[in-house]
Amino acid sequence: MAQTDMIFSGFGGQGIQSAGRLIAYAGMLEDKHVSFLPSYGPEMRGGTSNCHVIVSDEPVGSPILNSATVVMAMNRPSMDKFESYLEPGGILLIDSSLINREPVRKDIKVFAIPATQIASDMGNLAFANIVMLGKLIKETGVVSTENFERALKKVLPERKHYLIPDEMKALKTGMDY
Amino acid sequence: MGEKILMKGNEVIAEAALRAGCRHYFGYPITPQTEIAHYFAKKMPQYGGTFIQAESEVAAMNMVYGAASAGARVMTSSSSPGISLKQEAISYSACAELPAVIVNIVRAGPGLGGILASQCDYFQATKGGGHGDYRMVVLAPSSVQELYELVVEAFNIADRYRTLCMIMGDGMLGQMMEAVEFRDSEDICEADKSWAVTGTGMKRDHNIITSIYIDPEVLEKHNQKLQEKYRKIAENETRVEVYNCDDADIIVAAYGTVARIIKNVIKTAEKEGIRVGLIRPVTLWPFPTAAFEKYAQVPQAFLSVEMSAGQMVEDVRLAVNGKRPVHFLGRTGGMIPTQKEILEKIREILK
């Protein structure tokens, strides 16, 4: 059974919840079973915004993750908190524009992407999460780019659909990094 | 069935209620269920219904009493401390035989407690949080899809029996997003509401909705009528999921989100050669006693896993009736039992 357990984490405002929702939506469009669980507890305040996303071939059991196969960390507190959640061989994606330390673990795959810098160069800081997702999709194959684009149309309000071509460009940049 | 969409549990509750013909919602915000009120505030006017953010939970439940008396499909929602505040009007509504749906997205208690997921309100919901000999149907969904289906069902049960129906979830279920598929139209029970207080038009006698019966003989008779209704509900409306129980080494009792964790446990245990069964009460009241009776002699033992200090386990023990030992594993305070600790407990019991 194929199941991808993902934790997305960063500051509030970095589009962490959107990133998780997009992957969950795209997974659903692939006819997979998905769950998306946002953090709503006290950890929201001040520290990190995070969400747990599961994409699976079978019905999802617990939506809460005690360990993960993929962690996407967009700030230092997120990496400090969730690096230990990774299963051996798991994938850690970090925004190296904002995280200045090396991972402690040696038994995981690490991908450092200067996503905030790339997004800034593209002229829209809000694309940093999408750049990260590009790398995530490339390395995990959890969803296809086609379904990701369809998910964007579902998740974004219509007035923001004009951004989709640029979002897809940001995704591609992340994939190719 | 329509298209699959990804939606948050709390929003699905409100959407399901609208689809079930609920046109009146009264509530007061409290985490982790405030999205229900948000959704109604936005959508109710489009349906020509009434959304009121009441001045308190007490007021909201009394507004429910009023709307239900007039024959409306009505709902309120809250989370644990707010549900405590509603108890007086819940008891009154039960006595007056008013159909209404109450949603409790349970948070950890007692007291103001915390906002994380818990099942610590089982006693309050199933044994009568308010005073007097009354019951209400308590439905415990374990997925967002089931949340939709049971909310619609709750309105139908409420109308069919003139009873209160509670949907009991937890913060995890309310906050999580999952795929949900809505039907094109709902099968809504068209109950006879000739008892409602809608004005006589000078054409009939007054209908009276009341919860006061000063004459003891009359009140006892009313109680007997209520009990007869509860007996019928227990006979017809008990719902349960029985999973993997034939030849099980151990049967776990769990409901709501905890039952999802058990399904993971079942798969992992299988690899160790342990067969774990699951009995998941979908109605917490009426409790699916018959399912436990049926499997009472199958496993070596039962284990009730709850996000409480041990509440449903009492009903499991009553149902198993001494035929097998009934163990308990619970977490409180918003802590969620992990697969690992449940497995350890199972290994320890079967040793």
Side-chain angles (χ1 to χ4, degrees):
Chain A
M1 176 193 87
Q3 177 161 320
T4 314
D5 297 337
M6 291 165 275
I7 294 176
F8 298 81
S9 186
F11 290 122
Q14 280 183 308
I16 294 300
Q17 304 297 328
S18 307
R21 273 175 63 193
L22 282 165
I23 293 296
Y25 223 118
M28 184 186 75
L29 293 172
E30 307 223 339
D31 278 330
K32 300 256 177 74
H33 296 272
V34 299
S35 71
F36 164 89
L37 185 72
S39 54
Y40 70 97
E43 78 270 22
M44 274 170 80
R45 313 229 163 101
T48 61
S49 158
N50 70 73
C51 59
H52 295 188
V53 176
I54 299 172
V55 176
S56 177
D57 290 340
E58 287 184 40
V60 176
S62 168
I64 289 222
L65 295 173
N66 302 114
S67 66
T69 49
V70 180
V71 168
M72 178 173 128
M74 289 192 64
N75 64 7
R76 172 87 185 252
S78 297
M79 180 168 166
D80 292 345
K81 184 167 179 193
F82 292 115
E83 187 182 341
S84 63
Y85 276 60
L86 276 165
E87 288 166 17
I91 291 173
L92 176 64
L93 299 133
I94 58 175
D95 184 344
S96 54
S97 312
L98 302 174
I99 298 176
N100 58 2
R101 79 161 172 87
E102 293 292 311
V104 180
R105 300 269 297 267
K106 300 289 174 215
D107 58 345
I108 53 173
K109 288 177 229 151
V110 181
F111 299 94
I113 308 103
T116 298
Q117 188 58 52
I118 292 171
S120 166
D121 293 344
M122 290 181 72
N124 192 340
L125 270 177
F127 289 163
N129 61 344
I130 306 291
V131 174
M132 295 292 289
L133 288 182
K135 195 69 182 169
L136 184 147
I137 288 173
K138 171 86 180 296
E139 296 304 328
T140 62
V142 65
V143 296
S144 68
T145 49
E146 292 74 27
N147 279 323
F148 183 82
E149 188 167 1
R150 286 172 67 203
L152 275 173
K153 286 181 188 139
K154 297 281 186 186
V155 171
L156 289 176
E158 211 144 305
R159 62 190 157 82
K160 290 202 169 165
H161 279 193
Y162 74 94
L163 287 168
I164 290 175
D166 284 346
E167 305 241 18
M168 290 309 290
K169 212 182 286 170
L171 190 83
K172 181 93 179 33
T173 312
M175 291 180 102
D176 295 342
Y177 184 81
Chain B
M1 300 290 265
E3 171 195 19
K4 253 194 219 171
I5 48 176
L6 192 71
M7 251 176 113
K8 193 176 248 212
N10 282 335
E11 295 186 339
V12 166
I13 292 171
E15 177 63 30
L18 289 168
R19 285 168 180 265
C22 170
R23 293 293 176 270
H24 302 269
Y25 171 88
F26 311 105
Y28 188 83
I30 178 172
T31 305
Q33 62 79 54
T34 301
E35 293 85 358
I36 300 175
H38 273 170
Y39 197 89
F40 274 126
K42 200 164 62 184
K43 293 276 175 114
M44 197 61 105
Q46 299 169 18
Y47 287 83
T50 310
F51 165 86
I52 293 179
Q53 180 176 321
E55 65 270 35
S56 71
E57 289 87 346
V58 177
M61 188 60 210
N62 280 288
M63 291 175 186
V64 168
Y65 185 106
S69 299
R73 276 208 153 177
V74 57
M75 179 176 134
T76 186
S77 66
S78 191
S79 179
S80 309
I83 296 290
S84 293
L85 286 166
K86 295 182 194 289
Q87 291 301 333
E88 180 193 46
I90 286 176
S91 170
Y92 280 40
S93 304
C95 187
E97 297 195 84
L98 294 172
V101 174
I102 301 157
V103 176
N104 184 4
I105 299 298
V106 180
R107 55 190 256 177
L112 205 45
I115 61 173
L116 292 177
S118 177
Q119 298 180 322
C120 58
D121 296 352
Y122 178 92
F123 282 155
Q124 186 198 49
T126 62
K127 313 288 177 192
H131 57 282
D133 276 314
Y134 77 92
R135 293 288 193 180
M136 62 180 164
V137 177
V138 183
L139 297 157
S142 81
S143 70
V144 171
Q145 180 70 35
E146 196 181 29
L147 200 46
Y148 155 54
E149 278 153 21
L150 291 183
V151 166
V152 174
E153 201 51 30
F155 279 101
N156 282 338
I157 294 172
D159 271 1
R160 205 176 297 136
Y161 297 94
R162 282 186 69 177
T163 186
L164 294 174
C165 249
M166 176 174 274
I167 296 283
M168 200 155 102
D170 61 50
M172 210 184 332
L173 191 63
Q175 293 296 324
M176 78 184 288
M177 292 178 102
E178 265 190 317
V180 59
E181 224 173 322
F182 293 110
R183 289 176 287 261
D184 295 333
S185 67
E186 301 304 335
D187 205 357
I188 294 173
C189 111
E190 296 295 340
D192 167 35
K193 290 196 174 179
S194 55
W195 48 263
V197 284
T198 51
T200 63
M202 311 297 267
K203 283 177 192 133
R204 60 164 168 83
D205 286 343
H206 289 284
N207 284 339
I208 296 171
I209 302 287
T210 184
S211 81
I212 185 165
Y213 294 88
I214 291 295
D215 182 335
E217 282 179 21
V218 177
L219 181 52
E220 183 172 56
K221 215 170 222 155
H222 184 62
N223 264 290
Q224 285 162 350
K225 183 185 165 204
L226 292 179
Q227 293 304 317
E228 176 54 22
K229 173 170 78 177
Y230 299 145
R231 198 192 54 72
K232 258 189 208 146
I233 293 175
E235 199 178 293
N236 299 329
E237 304 298 341
T238 306
R239 288 161 170 75
V240 64
E241 181 190 0
V242 175
Y243 183 76
N244 213 37
C245 282
D246 296 326
D247 310 317
D249 299 313
I250 184 165
I251 291 178
V252 175
Y255 68 93
T257 46
V258 176
R260 301 171 65 113
I261 303 172
I262 304 304
K263 287 197 176 164
N264 287 356
V265 168
I266 289 172
K267 278 184 216 154
T268 317
E270 218 164 56
K271 290 177 201 149
E272 295 179 26
I274 303 173
R275 191 171 166 91
V276 178
L278 167 69
I279 297 182
R280 175 174 77 91
V282 176
T283 46
L284 303 181
W285 192 87
F287 191 73
T289 305
F292 286 94
E293 283 169 353
K294 184 178 169 195
Y295 288 95
Q297 317 240 30
V298 172
Q300 292 176 43
F302 286 81
L303 169 66
S304 188
V305 183
E306 303 170 43
M307 291 191 286
S308 82
Q311 301 193 15
M312 183 177 73
V313 64
E314 294 189 0
D315 287 331
V316 177
R317 286 203 176 110
L318 283 171
V320 172
N321 201 13
K323 293 197 179 80
R324 289 292 183 272
V326 177
H327 300 267
F328 174 71
L329 172 68
R331 297 296 301 266
T332 57
M335 298 299 290
I336 291 157
T338 63
Q339 262 207 74
K340 193 166 158 248
E341 67 188 310
I342 299 167
L343 265 166
E344 272 163 18
K345 181 81 182 177
I346 287 174
R347 284 190 209 109
E348 182 197 308
I349 293 167
L350 294 177
K351 202 156 54 185

